[in-house]
Amino acid sequence: NLSIQFTLNESGLIYETPEGKVTENWDQFINVKETEHYFFMYFAAHKGFLLAKRDLSEDMNQMIRRGLREHALNQKRIKLLG
């Protein structure tokens, strides 16, 4: 049984499992693509998160977009819909 908890805040995304906690600040994401159903969010070449938008509120979607627009270092690699 795997328990995963995501927390979004103004600084970034926090990913928690029983084994530990990882915090990725918005400026650490190097490549992001938003599709109709998902956010593909990479913080390294082959490491990142896949967030299903069906599991997020519209406020959470907006917080992700705002955090990335305001803090991501390479805006050319951030592809957002909204």
Side-chain angles (χ1 to χ4, degrees):
N1 188 17
L2 179 62
S3 173
I4 301 171
Q5 179 178 344
F6 284 99
T7 303
L8 297 171
N9 62 34
E10 294 299 323
S11 298
L13 188 144
I14 301 165
Y15 172 89
E16 293 182 72
T17 70
E19 291 78 37
K21 178 164 107 172
V22 175
T23 300
E24 297 297 340
N25 294 327
W26 297 121
D27 63 355
Q28 292 175 290
F29 288 97
I30 60 170
N31 192 353
V32 176
K33 179 170 177 149
E34 179 184 3
T35 68
E36 182 180 350
H37 301 289
Y38 300 99
F39 284 100
F40 297 87
M41 304 174 68
Y42 294 91
F43 52 87
H46 300 289
K47 295 180 183 179
F49 299 110
L50 171 64
L51 300 180
K53 291 166 82 175
R54 70 177 175 265
D55 297 331
L56 306 172
S57 69
E58 185 54 34
D59 286 345
M60 294 170 97
N61 289 331
Q62 292 298 333
M63 180 179 278
I64 292 169
R65 292 180 191 118
R66 184 174 53 251
L68 291 166
R69 284 190 178 113
E70 292 177 3
H71 302 289
L73 300 177
N74 187 352
Q75 289 292 316
K76 291 180 182 179
R77 300 194 60 123
I78 307 299
K79 308 293 186 201
L80 302 172
L81 298 178

